[in-house]
Amino acid sequence: MSHQIHIIGGGLAGSEAAWQLAQAGIRVRLSEMRGVEGTPAHHTDDLAELVCSNSFRSDDPERNAVGVLHAELRTLGSLIMAQADIHRVPAGSALAVDRDAFAAGVTAAIDAHPLIDLVRERVDTLPEGPAIIATGPLTAAPLAAAIGQATGEDALAFFDAIAPIVHFDSIDMDTCWFQSRWNKGDGKDYINCPMNREEYAAFHAGLIAGEKGEFKEWEKNTPYFDGCMPIEVMAERGFDTLRYGPMKPVGLDDPRTGRWPHAVVQLRQDNALGTLWNIVGFQTKLKHAEQVRLFRTIPGLANAEFARLGGLHRNTFLQAPKLLDGTLRLKNAPNIRFAGQITGCEGYIESAAVGLLAGRFAAAELAGTEAPPPPPTTALGALLGHITGGAKADTYQPMNVNFGLFPPLEGVAKKVDRKPLMAARARAALESWIAA
């Protein structure tokens, strides 16, 4: 069967993209390496295998951005959501699946579609015709090298050095203050959380004592690890190491005292909207519960709400805000789109969502029409906007969908009402987009 577009990678994103294209009448070649060559993380040859948790997280469409994304994907005929619903297992308000039955269901649906040719093969070069690359965090080395050559070697990362991200409206600005070190730039590029010696000593001890996760065997020798040292490892190198590193107080005047604090935790704006701020230099292998407990001891962050917690993981991903256009095309090779985790989204459902968008954009282009991006007030639009320009390109790191990616509500709303109002706004925007 001759194909109109080539999709490389049969994970969640590639499978969803193939389904969307085929449902639009486009002939697809879907190349999946497993079946010819395995990976260190996968255990089967099924498409859309879930290699970690079996949970798609919250299914609440009123108060959780992930639940809003679930609802939008269902509305748009997502294969991944359809199979997740069929193979759902009890998990309270979360959507969890029987992982083997789910992957088998996705594989069977793809195999049975008359417009999808599933080929078990490893692809080492970028296609010359229309293509979607959805090879995920374990992209084979030859293809990763080809992507690096096409995009610039410094644009393809091989490790997430993920710092926690905090919602701005949960930071106590009576304790913290805006200031850049030595008032460089506009002087207000950072939020500063001051610590006295006792607070610093307790925090330092907490970092060392906190329960940590372990690297998987296939992560241990990943390139660039030395450039993203976990903060707890720095803490183990000496009591004052952090005060001469990411927590140094020099050049920062606490407005309440007029003096430099003993130590400072800095947050840097993470998105164009200014709703999300990352904790600078705080990549960590601390377990998530430990991070929440310990980071809320930082002055000014007692009530911090986290859009993302810190981590270090093997993950091949692009500097997408710099390289991709608004429809996920590579700017210097627009025949190629990227989808899934390689774009810098994080999570099963986010990968599927970006695959759905890539598939729909490609289908419209191949049909000689245009598919406008979804509104930024939808979960799909907010996630797409973050990947393709809303995030800071030079500090870009993988991100789950969250309400911090959505434009703020207009007018004043009680905090308890904000999430339901954002969810309602997203539903209305999606309906208008579909009807247009």
Side-chain angles (χ1 to χ4, degrees), residues 23-294:
Q23 290 293 88
I26 305 296
R27 292 187 175 276
V28 179
R29 180 185 185 95
L30 176 58
S31 297
E32 170 51 50
M33 181 175 72
R34 287 175 297 118
V36 174
E37 180 179 320
T39 79
H42 292 86
H43 300 287
T44 78
D45 293 339
D46 282 338
L47 304 178
E49 179 185 339
L50 307 182
V51 299
C52 296
S53 167
N54 70 326
S55 176
F56 284 18
R57 311 192 327 273
S58 175
D59 203 32
D60 179 357
E62 300 295 330
R63 294 185 174 275
N64 192 290
V66 180
V68 174
L69 187 57
H70 287 180
E72 293 179 2
L73 292 178
R74 288 186 178 106
T75 299
L76 295 173
S78 164
L79 170 66
I80 296 303
M81 286 305 302
Q83 290 298 320
D85 287 335
I86 290 170
H87 300 293
R88 187 171 193 150
V89 297
S93 62
L95 173 58
V97 302
D98 177 322
R99 69 174 69 236
D100 293 332
F102 165 79
V106 173
T107 305
I110 293 291
D111 249 338
H113 203 295
L115 294 181
I116 301 176
D117 185 15
L118 175 59
V119 183
R120 301 290 183 165
E121 61 182 351
R122 195 184 83 182
V123 178
D124 292 343
T125 58
L126 294 176
E128 294 183 1
I132 296 174
I133 310 300
T135 46
L138 294 175
T139 300
L143 184 58
I147 295 169
Q149 185 175 6
T151 60
E153 294 295 337
D154 61 346
L156 189 67
F158 293 92
F159 228 106
D160 297 349
I162 301 176
I165 288 181
V166 178
H167 289 273
F168 175 75
D169 61 9
S170 70
I171 301 171
D172 177 8
M173 293 305 296
D174 289 333
T175 300
C176 307
W177 76 97
F178 287 104
Q179 187 189 0
S180 301
R181 200 178 308 279
W182 305 113
N183 293 309
K184 292 181 178 179
D186 69 4
K188 296 184 178 181
D189 293 337
Y190 293 84
I191 293 173
N192 301 282
C193 307
M195 282 186 177
N196 60 33
R197 193 182 193 286
E198 291 73 25
E199 290 164 337
Y200 174 79
F203 185 76
H204 181 270
L207 284 172
I208 293 174
E211 189 176 4
K212 286 98 177 165
E214 298 294 330
F215 283 115
K216 296 181 177 68
E217 188 63 34
W218 45 272
E219 291 181 308
K220 290 181 179 177
N221 296 317
T222 300
Y224 309 150
F225 172 66
D226 287 343
C228 45
M229 186 69 64
I231 191 168
E232 61 273 12
V233 174
M234 286 188 275
E236 290 170 354
R237 294 184 171 184
F239 180 74
D240 285 320
T241 300
L242 294 173
R243 294 185 61 244
Y244 290 93
M247 296 178 66
K248 62 184 177 184
V250 297
L252 296 167
D253 304 310
D254 187 336
R256 297 173 302 175
T257 66
R259 302 178 62 183
W260 298 349
H262 187 77
V264 168
V265 174
Q266 289 196 301
L267 294 89
R268 178 174 53 217
Q269 186 172 330
D270 200 78
N271 66 340
L273 295 171
T275 55
L276 300 174
W277 291 70
N278 70 72
I279 309 181
V280 178
F282 269 47
Q283 57 269 9
T284 178
K285 287 295 284 182
L286 286 171
K287 292 193 172 179
H288 283 181
E290 286 286 88
Q291 291 184 47
V292 173
R293 180 192 64 78
L294 185 60

